[in-house]
Amino acid sequence: MAQASGKSAGKSFFGKFGVHLAVLVFVVIWTVPTLGILVSSLRDKDQIIASGWWNSFASSTQTEAGRLPPPENQVEKDGRFVIEGNIFGDDPPRTISAFGTRAAAPTQYAAGETADLGDGVTLQLNEDGTFVLSSPVALEGSRGQRVYFASSAPPRFTTENYETVLFSEGIGRSFINSLTVTVPATVIPIMIAAFAAYALAWMRFPGRALIIATIIGLLVVPLQMALIPLLQLYNGVGLFFGVPSKTYLGIWLAHTGFGLPFAIYLLRSYMAGLPRELMESARIDGASDFEIFLKIVLPLSFPVLASFAIFQFLWVWNDLLVAMVFLGSGANQLVLTGKLNALLGSRGGDWEILTTSAFVTIIVPLLVFFSLQRYFVRGLLAGSVKGG
Amino acid sequence: MAAQILSAIITIIVGVGGAIAYFWGANRLLDLIFPSRGVAGMAAVDNLRRQGFIRPWLFIGPALIILVVYLIYPVIQTLYLSFHDRSGENFVGVANYAWAFGDREFQNSILNNLLWLAVVPAACTFLGLVIAVLTDRIWWGTIAKSLIFLPLAISFVGASVIWKFIYEYRGDGQVQIGLLNAIVQFFGGNPQVWISLPFWNSFFLMVILIWIQTGFAMVILSAALRGIPEETIEAAVIDGANPFQIFWKIMIPQIWGTIAVVWTTITILVLKVFDIVLTMTNGQWNSQVLANLMFDWMFRGGGDFGRGATIAIIIMLAVLPIMIWNIRQANKEGGL
């Protein structure tokens, strides 16, 4: 017995340590990917491709190409023709470790050395970017000497990427479009579902059980089943009335339709759990169903209404499929997810654009999620029968 | 832009106002037509009964209309279209189904979907359960859970960008800016173009969904674990059960129902997975899945509604058993 307890004590020490370590590993795996794009979105765009984001606090080295000023800048000095200046111009300063004049040997000379370019022409390039090009005869031509150099730049963090994507890549516009889709598509179903849920929970009428069963069935119907007929329907309506078939009204109603089964299911099961005496005493006092709903049930249902609102908001904001089918791809209708998808195609390797756009896309859900996590979890627990 | 914001605000006001006006007005109208106050005796009782007969339909009417237009009619119409040609006009019998099962891309999609179904729900449930058990034992468990839960709020497209950055490939010898290839190179391996590796690329896409959905499984299972009565575990400890026996023989059987719910929920999600495949590979390198194939056929060459509808029906057939099970379960619990 004593032996057994001793063993379990030792085990619990290592066990405890192991648990902390295991959870830490999980947390790191689950947060590092998001951290990666957040850090990258704040980095200088040249540094993003020069080093991994996990090295972003170290100096990054890269090989660059530059051009000296054209010969017209030369001055005659002690019988030689000289061009002096700084290769970086107005760019942020970097430290040069080596340079060269041929693409095949970009780091032929160490910084500060004097390179012999032939015909008596020499070039000296220093660590800080200052250079001296010197020639025995007047330099000719209209273009400056090509120079390659390896530079290391101190880490540079900037919000330039955000300015770029918000104002010139169209993410700002898409952000507004996403809001235009999301807010009404969240508000409309709540109202409609709340009335329906009350009727299904507290009113008696023929066909009630059938309607509830249908709604539970509809919970898991894949969206794919609805797309083609609705596309046909929208095109038909558009043609018949001579209006565009891809409109914000169309997508609001579509999201309302797709969200309704879950909304009614969630609200009904909550409302059905409210105490019966409450309704009955109100009814005895002469309140109609409409008054009971408005003055008693609706205020009491606030937590579940909040749960559904968060769900629907996240679902609509994050949706790509419905937006691609029911909205156009013009700047005035492209939502954030659609824009991000388009950028993946058109700006495939431009990680400063992609990481920043992705972060703009996910920031709203993350904020909603963190501030209202309690309601979100409650809805999740109540409605986990739904297929998401 | 300002005009758009304004029109959105106006629409919200008109929409919400309209809904309020409808519900209030319809109920008021009912009270006026069949007054129950201020009328004597039998007439009041009669009117009250008529009100009780009509009012539920005023409440549920808008919801029913939208459900019929946006879900019930489309389901029937999709079934109808799956037996018709690309324009939806000429009946072709089961030709679309015959095409589907003979088509290489469709077969590949089915295979990939089966692979997704075998891996993702199991991985999410397992990881979710492990994390739920572990985080329940430490003081910073709530913070850990919040952080693991967080990807659930991220869109599939956003998550795809996040992971595409991790899978980013640069030629051998170059600086790797993708985390995975950097790690591989650090340990002396060769960098790979992960999303175009035949067969294995599907797994790299699955990782994204697992990363998103584990938090969901964790939260639900964590709540279920908390619901296990203390006495059952204490009794097992007294009987000398070791932690593994307690976990497998005492805890798991008691949360079996919850595990089934989590599993089926993620299964349905997997059947509909679309965004991840579209944004990562668009079905190239044999990574196609049904939902993306369906979307593809909806618009390919002007759109083939017959084939698109057929693929939708096949996804629906896979969901059908879960749907029937749900309805029967609700029926048993007296929900109907």
Side-chain angles (χ1 to χ4, degrees):
Chain A
M1 196 60 195
Q3 202 184 2
S5 71
K7 205 168 112 195
S8 86
K11 207 167 160 185
S12 82
F13 172 75
F14 287 109
K16 205 94 195 144
F17 182 73
V19 169
H20 283 284
L21 193 70
V23 174
L24 192 67
V25 168
F26 280 120
V27 168
V28 167
I29 295 175
W30 258 262
T31 48
V32 158
T34 318
L35 194 67
I37 67 150
L38 171 60
V39 171
S40 296
S41 74
L42 291 168
R43 292 182 78 195
D44 181 85
K45 75 178 172 53
D46 296 324
Q47 295 192 355
I48 290 179
I49 47 171
S51 67
W53 61 269
W54 51 93
N55 283 328
S56 57
F57 289 101
S59 297
S60 54
T61 21
Q62 61 193 112
T63 306
E64 297 181 69
R67 205 177 267 287
L68 299 182
E72 64 194 42
N73 296 321
Q74 62 192 324
V75 287
E76 204 179 339
K77 221 189 214 176
D78 306 333
R80 287 181 75 87
F81 294 86
V82 178
I83 304 177
E84 282 179 297
N86 190 309
I87 191 124
F88 297 133
D90 298 329
D91 291 348
R94 303 183 275 283
T95 310
I96 294 177
S97 58
F99 70 99
T101 52
R102 289 178 298 133
T107 54
Q108 198 177 356
Y109 311 101
E113 261 186 314
T114 303
D116 182 3
L117 306 187
D119 298 331
V121 181
T122 59
L123 171 66
Q124 185 187 10
L125 183 58
N126 296 313
E127 269 188 18
D128 59 0
T130 54
F131 65 86
V132 181
L133 181 69
S134 166
S135 167
V137 294
L139 293 156
E140 283 169 12
S142 60
R143 295 170 62 145
Q145 170 71 40
R146 205 100 178 85
V147 178
Y148 301 89
F149 53 92
S151 70
S152 77
R156 193 169 98 85
F157 293 96
T158 161
T159 53
E160 278 164 20
N161 298 333
Y162 283 89
E163 282 161 36
T164 311
V165 300
L166 284 177
F167 304 114
S168 47
E169 286 291 334
I171 287 286
R173 184 64 207 262
S174 288
F175 193 92
I176 304 284
N177 295 343
S178 271
L179 274 180
T180 311
V181 170
T182 311
V183 175
T186 306
V187 176
I188 300 169
I190 292 181
M191 310 243 341
I192 294 173
F195 276 97
Y198 174 81
L200 291 170
W202 289 106
M203 294 164 115
R204 311 244 138 236
F205 56 95
R208 197 176 71 127
L210 180 69
I211 293 174
I212 297 174
T214 309
I215 285 168
I216 291 174
L218 290 178
L219 276 177
V220 296
V221 167
L223 211 54
Q224 278 78 12
M225 289 295 284
L227 295 180
I228 293 176
L230 288 179
L231 190 65
Q232 282 183 320
L233 186 72
Y234 277 31
N235 286 341
V237 168
L239 216 58
F240 188 79
F241 292 104
V243 291
S245 57
K246 304 199 168 195
T247 60
Y248 281 111
L249 181 65
I251 197 167
W252 293 333
L253 289 174
H255 275 304
T256 301
F258 303 145
L260 260 188
F262 179 61
I264 298 176
Y265 172 82
L266 193 69
L267 300 189
R268 191 199 80 92
S269 44
Y270 186 88
M271 288 179 185
L274 295 174
R276 175 176 292 275
E277 301 81 44
L278 224 54
M279 323 281 163
E280 274 169 4
S281 61
R283 198 157 292 162
I284 288 164
D285 291 344
S288 72
D289 276 306
F290 189 66
E291 288 160 341
I292 295 174
F293 171 76
L294 221 55
K295 290 182 183 151
I296 300 174
V297 174
L298 215 50
L300 284 176
S301 303
F302 175 76
V304 75
L305 295 176
S307 292
F308 173 73
I310 296 165
F311 259 95
Q312 182 76 358
F313 184 89
L314 290 179
W315 154 244
V316 175
W317 184 275
N318 288 339
D319 161 77
L320 173 68
L321 180 57
V322 178
M324 280 182 100
V325 176
F326 295 111
L327 278 184
S329 53
N332 61 335
Q333 287 194 329
L334 197 57
V335 294
L336 275 175
T337 48
K339 181 73 197 174
L340 197 53
N341 183 43
L343 284 176
L344 268 171
S346 65
R347 307 296 298 262
D350 299 342
W351 285 107
E352 79 280 3
I353 302 286
L354 290 175
T355 55
T356 313
S357 305
F359 201 75
V360 173
T361 311
I362 66 176
I363 188 67
V364 171
L366 289 186
L367 287 178
V368 168
F369 178 82
F370 262 123
S371 51
L372 301 165
Q373 198 176 19
R374 197 159 49 95
Y375 293 114
F376 186 71
V377 170
R378 196 201 305 254
L380 212 56
L381 291 174
S384 53
V385 68
K386 201 217 173 185
Chain B
M1 208 136 98
Q4 189 179 342
I5 298 172
L6 194 69
S7 83
I9 293 171
I10 291 173
T11 322
I12 294 170
I13 295 169
V14 169
V16 173
I20 293 172
Y22 160 78
F23 284 114
W24 185 82
N27 279 282
R28 188 90 189 99
L29 200 64
L30 191 66
D31 287 335
L32 284 177
I33 296 171
F34 301 113
S36 60
R37 287 169 213 173
V39 240
M42 282 311 286
V45 175
D46 264 4
N47 280 350
L48 215 52
R49 212 191 57 236
R50 289 192 189 114
Q51 278 191 8
F53 191 71
I54 296 172
R55 204 187 302 272
W57 300 104
L58 295 183
F59 273 52
I60 207 171
L64 278 187
I65 292 168
I66 290 181
L67 284 178
V68 167
V69 173
Y70 281 89
L71 287 168
I72 295 172
Y73 153 74
V75 167
I76 298 164
Q77 176 74 2
T78 299
L79 188 63
Y80 171 89
L81 284 174
S82 75
F83 296 108
H84 289 74
D85 69 354
R86 58 183 303 133
S87 65
E89 279 158 13
N90 307 308
F91 182 77
V92 293
V94 293
N96 288 325
Y97 293 88
W99 158 80
F101 286 98
D103 184 57
R104 276 278 308 279
E105 207 182 356
F106 179 86
Q107 292 167 353
N108 182 244
S109 306
I110 288 270
L111 219 62
N112 282 330
N113 263 103
L114 288 174
L115 212 57
W116 280 73
L117 284 175
V119 174
V120 177
C124 292
T125 313
F126 175 74
L127 287 171
L129 190 58
V130 168
I131 296 171
V133 170
L134 291 178
T135 48
D136 267 353
R137 298 172 167 202
I138 53 175
W139 58 268
W140 53 287
T142 321
I143 303 165
K145 274 200 278 197
S146 267
L147 289 171
I148 291 171
F149 194 41
L150 185 133
L152 201 58
I154 296 175
S155 63
F156 286 167
V157 189
S160 297
V161 173
I162 290 173
W163 282 87
K164 211 166 189 171
F165 191 41
I166 288 186
Y167 296 151
E168 173 73 355
Y169 167 81
R170 294 285 156 118
D172 202 0
Q174 281 180 277
V175 179
Q176 297 295 333
I177 62 167
L179 186 58
L180 186 59
N181 275 322
I183 292 171
V184 166
Q185 209 168 45
F186 179 80
F187 286 107
N190 287 325
Q192 302 278 341
V193 189
W194 303 107
I195 56 168
S196 68
L197 284 182
F199 182 72
W200 297 107
N201 55 3
S202 285
F203 290 89
F204 288 104
L205 303 193
M206 287 178 210
V207 165
I208 303 173
L209 191 56
I210 295 170
W211 180 71
I212 293 173
Q213 285 296 316
T214 296
F216 162 76
M218 174 197 72
V219 164
I220 307 277
L221 292 169
S222 175
L225 286 172
R226 294 238 171 102
I228 295 176
E230 284 285 322
E231 304 87 68
T232 57
I233 293 168
E234 277 164 20
V237 171
I238 291 166
D239 287 347
N242 66 38
F244 279 99
Q245 285 173 321
I246 292 176
F247 182 72
W248 286 108
K249 299 205 167 136
I250 310 293
M251 287 160 89
I252 293 286
Q254 294 196 63
I255 58 165
W256 202 242
T258 311
I259 291 178
V261 167
V262 170
W263 198 292
T264 48
T265 306
I266 299 175
T267 299
I268 295 171
L269 190 71
V270 168
L271 282 168
K272 296 190 293 187
V273 71
F274 155 78
D275 322 38
I276 293 177
V277 177
L278 178 80
T279 49
M280 294 294 283
T281 64
N282 196 12
Q284 293 176 82
W285 308 296
N286 286 334
S287 64
Q288 190 65 287
V289 293
L290 288 176
N292 192 49
L293 186 66
M294 186 255 166
F295 182 79
D296 203 27
W297 277 107
M298 245 176 103
F299 296 106
R300 190 186 281 184
D304 189 326
F305 286 174
R307 289 181 178 176
T310 304
I311 300 167
I313 291 287
I314 287 159
I315 300 173
M316 181 70 212
L317 285 177
V319 177
L320 210 56
I322 300 172
M323 181 167 158
I324 293 166
W325 188 78
N326 274 349
I327 295 174
R328 289 177 63 171
Q329 207 65 18
N331 202 2
K332 234 192 281 176
E333 285 161 12
L336 304 190

